[in-house]
Amino acid sequence: MNHEAPLHDFMGLTFNLSNVLMITIASLVVFLIAVIGTRKLAMKPTGMQNFMEWIMDFVKGIINSNMDWRTGGQFQLLGMTLLMYIFVSNMLGLPFAISYDGVLWWKSPTADPVITLTLAVMVLGLTHYYAIKMKGAKGYFKAYKNPMTLVEEFTNSLTLGLRLYGNIYAGEVLLGLLAGTLAFSGPAGFIGAIVPTLVWQGYSIFVGSIQAFIFVTLTMVYLSHKVSDDH
Amino acid sequence: MLTSSFVLGSTSHGFNGGDMLFQLVMFIILLALLKKFAWGPLMGIMTQREEHVANEIQAAEASRQEALKYLEEQREIVKQSRTEAGQLIENAKLQGEAQREDIVNQARLEAERVKESAKREIVQEKEKAITALREQVASLSVLIASKVIEKELSEADQEQLINDYIQEAGEGK
């Protein structure tokens, strides 16, 4: 279970090649799903188009429950992309983990705090950008009269990223223990591991979906806090 | 080693700035690509559908309004033709009445005229008859007189008569 990471230094930055691989795969999967789902667009939606429109309405619902659609409408694309990307990322690590030569290659990219914190910091950065863009510099700084707001910025980004990471990483660790360690401890262990592995995989699908939903919801909550005037 | 791995995962090896950068760049690229190839067209078709539905509702509303208008118009026309028909019947009745009156009057006048002319004719005939009678009576009386004179005139009477005549003639001068 305690795998090494395929680290590689390039131009002064450290790259975890497995992360690079999984980010690319997750992005590719999301892109393919979205593009295939919107190939045959019709006024009367069929098949995949229904699914894509459901996602669109779902994100629209999340935004609408947090802010006015006039200000929130521009975040719909961000919300949809985040939702699908995080969901797909969470799902990638579920069916299997591939390690080669003691190096873990296939896993959820969201099982790495660096990735989730990057997403969280990106979202927080966007909230600041839109706050200044929509309320002006004066309105933006007015929110910091209370110094606790500054603390909130750090805790928000930390909790947003670490919540996702913790859930997915814990799921993978337990899956690794069940399928990797218990299943190889003997015939009884193999048989005994089947049921808990199945259960935990099912639960992980649930957790992965919920975490993607929570991430998008919190993104919209933070955005609405920054963008709207009454907070 | 195991504990630290559980807590911090694969970042126990240090700060992976490259991953952050890669994730950020990939996400932005993904966002841009999806916007161009998936969300854009999808949003387009959804807006189009919304517009279509709105248009349809509007069209339905408009045609309903039009139907109502037509109905009102038709109702008005029916009402109008009904009153017109009533008026026509009324007019025909009045005209018939007038014509009847006219005919009766004319007949009365005609009868009057016929009566008048008949009266006139009667009077004329009566006068004619009276004249004829008078003539006859005169000639008859002369005849009778001559008969009487022939039969009864005596010598003396004749004398007397002649004298009277002469007297008269003399006085008449």
Side-chain angles (χ1 to χ4, degrees):
Chain A
M1 182 53 226
N2 194 20
H3 297 292
E4 290 296 317
L7 296 176
H8 188 78
D9 282 331
F10 181 70
M11 296 209 313
L13 292 166
T14 311
F15 285 85
N16 182 339
L17 288 183
S18 105
N19 276 345
V20 171
L21 174 75
M22 292 319 291
I23 289 166
T24 314
I25 288 173
S27 303
L28 207 66
V29 169
V30 170
F31 181 73
L32 284 180
I33 289 175
V35 168
I36 289 169
T38 54
R39 264 326 75 188
K40 283 182 288 177
L41 289 175
M43 292 288 270
K44 276 192 216 159
T46 48
M48 280 291 278
Q49 195 189 339
N50 275 322
F51 175 64
M52 299 313 295
E53 288 190 7
W54 173 75
I55 293 177
M56 202 158 224
D57 282 335
F58 183 68
V59 174
K60 197 173 178 175
I62 296 176
I63 294 173
N64 268 331
S65 63
N66 282 305
M67 56 189 128
D68 192 23
W69 183 247
R70 264 184 300 122
T71 47
Q74 56 189 317
F75 306 131
Q76 192 179 15
L77 298 188
L78 173 75
M80 288 173 74
T81 312
L82 264 180
L83 184 76
M84 281 188 73
Y85 179 75
I86 293 171
F87 177 75
V88 168
S89 299
N90 294 349
M91 291 306 117
L92 280 181
L94 281 187
F96 44 77
I98 299 172
S99 52
Y100 177 73
D101 229 358
V103 170
L104 182 64
W105 283 99
W106 185 285
K107 62 187 191 63
S108 284
T110 42
D112 192 319
V114 169
I115 305 303
T116 57
L117 282 172
T118 305
L119 289 173
V121 167
M122 180 189 77
V123 164
L124 267 291
L126 279 176
T127 66
H128 289 284
Y129 169 73
Y130 279 108
I132 294 173
K133 191 182 170 192
M134 288 184 160
K135 286 161 67 180
K138 212 175 139 194
Y140 171 72
F141 285 115
K142 222 161 80 182
Y144 292 102
K145 271 190 201 154
N146 182 356
M148 281 307 282
T149 333
L150 269 173
V151 179
E152 207 178 48
E153 297 302 328
F154 290 107
T155 55
N156 278 352
S157 47
L158 267 179
T159 52
L160 187 62
L162 289 181
R163 179 184 302 109
L164 178 61
Y165 153 71
N167 274 283
I168 304 310
Y169 184 64
E172 289 208 347
V173 167
L174 195 52
L175 262 186
L177 285 176
L178 284 170
T181 315
L182 183 61
F184 289 107
S185 61
F190 185 78
I191 291 164
I194 288 175
V195 171
T197 305
L198 278 177
V199 170
W200 187 247
Q201 274 188 328
Y203 183 67
S204 290
I205 290 173
F206 173 69
V207 167
S209 319
I210 289 291
Q211 286 307 315
F213 169 67
I214 288 174
F215 197 94
V216 173
T217 305
L218 285 176
T219 299
M220 294 308 159
V221 168
Y222 294 156
L223 272 170
S224 80
H225 273 213
K226 282 279 190 296
V227 164
S228 58
D229 300 310
D230 50 330
H231 285 285
Chain B
M1 184 59 208
L2 190 74
T3 330
S4 79
S5 158
F6 278 171
V7 171
L8 286 171
S10 34
T11 42
S12 54
H13 313 281
F15 180 71
N16 292 354
D19 288 1
M20 292 187 96
L21 195 68
F22 189 75
Q23 169 64 73
L24 206 60
V25 169
M26 273 309 271
F27 190 79
I28 289 163
I29 289 172
L30 183 67
L31 194 63
L33 282 178
L34 285 185
K35 188 176 178 181
K36 181 147 171 36
F37 291 110
W39 304 150
L42 188 64
M43 264 180 154
I45 200 95
M46 283 173 94
T47 339
Q48 207 177 320
R49 185 183 310 132
E50 255 165 46
E51 271 167 20
H52 180 73
V53 168
N55 280 347
E56 286 299 295
I57 288 171
Q58 219 160 26
E61 193 68 28
S63 54
R64 201 178 68 93
Q65 219 64 277
E66 207 166 330
L68 268 181
K69 211 180 73 187
Y70 275 133
L71 184 68
E72 207 53 46
E73 244 168 58
Q74 291 302 318
R75 207 172 273 160
E76 200 64 34
I77 284 170
V78 166
K79 210 166 56 182
Q80 208 173 327
S81 41
R82 195 168 288 157
T83 43
E84 232 162 72
Q87 226 159 19
L88 272 180
I89 289 169
E90 201 63 31
N91 273 359
K93 246 186 218 167
L94 279 178
Q95 211 172 344
E97 198 78 21
Q99 222 157 9
R100 197 175 64 108
E101 205 91 338
D102 222 28
I103 287 166
V104 165
N105 273 350
Q106 231 161 8
R108 197 168 285 153
L109 275 179
E110 185 79 15
E112 207 71 30
R113 210 170 48 82
V114 166
K115 214 166 84 182
E116 209 62 36
S117 84
K119 253 187 200 162
R120 245 198 335 267
E121 226 163 294
I122 286 167
V123 168
Q124 249 171 17
E125 287 297 314
K126 206 172 87 183
E127 245 151 53
K128 223 188 265 174
I130 287 173
T131 320
L133 209 59
R134 199 170 282 157
E135 266 168 21
Q136 211 129 16
V137 164
S139 66
L140 269 177
S141 60
V142 167
L143 200 65
I144 292 165
S146 65
K147 284 267 168 74
V148 166
I149 287 166
E150 254 173 43
K151 215 162 76 176
E152 291 185 14
L153 209 55
S154 62
E155 215 64 37
D157 290 338
Q158 214 163 354
E159 197 82 22
Q160 180 74 38
L161 205 65
I162 289 161
N163 281 343
D164 281 352
Y165 255 102
I166 289 166
Q167 191 93 28
E168 259 173 54
E171 277 173 10
K173 273 203 187 163

